[in-house]
Amino acid sequence: MHKKILAAAVATAVAGPAMAVNVFDDGTSSLSIGGRVGVVAKNYDGENTLNNDSARINFKFAHKFDSGWTGQGVAEWGFRAQDEYENGEKKDTFFNRLGYVGLSHEEMGAFAAGKNWSVTYDVSGWTDSYAIGGGSALGIYEGREDGDIDGSARADDVIQYRNSFGGLNIGLQYQMEDHSVTNAQRDSGYGISASYDLAMGLSLGAAYSETKYVDQDKSKSATAGLKFENERLYLAAMYGELTNKTKLADKLNAKSKGIELYGRLAMNNVLQGFSLEAGYNELKDDSSAAVDQTEATLKETMIGAIYETGPMQFAVEYAIDDSKNDAGKKNGDNTLSLQARYFF
């Protein structure tokens, strides 16, 4: 149980080989450094681009107390391995991803405060497991600004509690008010998640979050799903009903419904480290008032292959985009992506 709590307390949600360098560990205090760097080549609509692949570096500190508690400090920054520009201006090379301090205990659970993966993501992130793309129909990384401010991705200004009781896992969080965003001032937010792990490798889970804003309507996220995993196979399916949480046709949806599916099959009998994957995202507007409705939809199907060897991952994904604009016409481009990533 203690290992499960610690894993949730310092979750990094990284697909691929789990790598980290143990810089120091005397049995009481420890420090590890990890992360990844990579590039993704994309071909779509006749264009070829070479992009950064969500590079990051993290530092994890831990100290075991005689009382049975373990203290943790985690800091993680994303960085751009190659320069990127927006409106002619160079983007920041480094940017904050995680930063929190915590305490965990085998029986009492894990407490954390700062910027951390949300308790919503503990469940909703089951389908966000693509090698290159990801889940995009449950509003995890969306909201008035992004899922960090809205409490569904890497939640800002958050206090969290997680614990496991046999096969039952729970997560609770509360977000403080925020004054750093000019067009969406958060008053407060909360989230709760619960999942149950069965012995056969099947897990069932659900999550709910709500965020209040000053002089604006609150956002809500209700998701539920299941996953199955063993040594060879990983399958996950999620369904969500969302309020003021997603965008279609550049418009914040008053109501929307989303579905995400993901599967991965290890083919070590063919080639050690080789696997096949597939995924599906669908998001539709579900607003009742005509003024809030949009006919735009998100619909994407992905197939791909992954090869992992040592600290490296190579992947290819082909995404078939059948999304439609508000006029009901297809406006997405099919994309072929090739990835090379190094974990450290």
Side-chain angles (χ1 to χ4, degrees):
M1 183 188 298
H2 191 45
K3 291 182 178 179
K4 181 181 291 186
I5 293 172
L6 286 175
V10 295
T12 54
V14 173
M19 305 292 293
V21 177
N22 292 318
V23 178
F24 175 79
D25 189 347
D26 63 1
T28 300
S29 298
S30 63
L31 164 63
S32 65
I33 300 176
R36 72 192 196 201
V37 62
V39 293
V40 175
K42 292 180 176 288
N43 176 273
Y44 57 95
D45 194 27
E47 296 186 8
N48 295 294
T49 63
L50 186 66
N51 307 308
N52 290 306
D53 183 34
S54 188
R56 77 271 316 254
I57 183 170
N58 57 66
F59 299 83
K60 298 180 181 180
F61 304 84
H63 180 84
K64 298 178 182 178
F65 296 98
D66 293 338
S67 60
W69 288 90
T70 298
Q72 297 108 18
V74 175
E76 180 174 278
W77 292 269
F79 65 92
R80 307 183 199 282
Q82 60 180 21
D83 293 341
E84 292 182 348
Y85 295 84
E86 184 175 5
N87 298 324
E89 295 188 6
K90 181 182 175 181
K91 292 184 178 180
D92 293 338
T93 301
F94 287 89
F95 52 93
N96 178 238
R97 282 178 55 88
L98 299 172
Y100 63 91
V101 62
L103 282 169
S104 66
H105 189 277
E106 185 172 357
E107 296 179 355
M108 302 298 292
F111 299 86
K115 181 181 178 68
N116 194 9
W117 282 102
S118 71
V119 299
T120 297
Y121 194 84
D122 291 350
V123 174
S124 298
W126 287 352
T127 45
D128 187 36
S129 301
Y130 294 37
I132 299 175
S136 56
L138 296 182
I140 294 174
Y141 301 103
E142 293 189 80
R144 286 168 174 82
E145 288 290 328
D146 56 40
D148 299 357
I149 293 169
D150 225 21
S152 54
R154 296 176 294 275
D156 293 323
D157 311 308
V158 72
I159 298 173
Q160 298 173 324
Y161 173 72
R162 292 178 170 94
N163 206 346
S164 297
F165 306 91
L168 177 64
N169 313 298
I170 63 167
L172 305 170
Q173 75 176 36
Y174 179 79
Q175 270 188 297
M176 304 294 191
E177 61 182 312
D178 175 79
H179 300 277
S180 63
V181 181
T182 56
N183 64 343
Q185 182 179 329
R186 184 182 63 237
D187 176 74
S188 63
Y190 71 90
I192 181 172
S193 67
S195 63
Y196 191 80
D197 302 326
L198 301 171
M200 65 187 73
L202 180 67
S203 298
L204 309 175
Y208 181 82
S209 65
E210 187 173 302
T211 305
K212 296 180 180 179
Y213 290 93
V214 177
D215 300 324
Q216 295 187 35
D217 293 334
K218 67 179 65 174
S219 67
K220 300 178 183 179
S221 169
T223 59
L226 53 84
K227 68 174 180 177
F228 172 82
E229 58 183 322
N230 58 28
E231 293 181 356
R232 291 197 60 196
L233 183 64
Y234 179 89
L235 297 172
M238 293 296 305
Y239 170 79
E241 296 189 358
L242 313 152
T243 302
N244 298 318
K245 193 74 181 68
T246 60
K247 287 185 178 181
L248 290 168
D250 295 325
K251 179 180 181 181
L252 189 68
N253 307 125
K255 297 281 187 180
S256 59
K257 291 182 178 180
I259 296 173
E260 294 182 4
L261 306 173
Y262 179 77
R264 180 170 175 174
L265 176 65
M267 304 287 288
N268 292 327
N269 56 324
V270 176
L271 177 64
Q272 186 67 34
F274 179 72
S275 58
L276 300 175
E277 64 169 352
Y280 179 75
N281 293 310
E282 182 177 318
L283 177 66
K284 294 183 178 180
D285 188 278
D286 194 45
S287 305
S288 56
V291 67
D292 295 326
Q293 292 176 356
T294 174
E295 295 299 320
T297 59
L298 165 72
K299 186 179 293 186
E300 181 187 73
T301 304
M302 180 277 296
I303 55 173
I306 306 166
Y307 176 59
E308 298 171 351
T309 176
M312 298 199 71
Q313 173 178 289
F314 303 92
V316 56
E317 288 184 355
Y318 185 69
I320 303 170
D321 194 339
D322 291 317
S323 301
K324 296 181 179 180
N325 59 23
D326 202 27
K329 295 182 179 180
K330 179 177 177 178
N331 66 335
D333 296 315
N334 297 346
T335 303
L336 176 65
S337 302
L338 301 174
Q339 172 201 72
R341 181 182 289 176
Y342 188 95
F343 293 83
F344 55 87

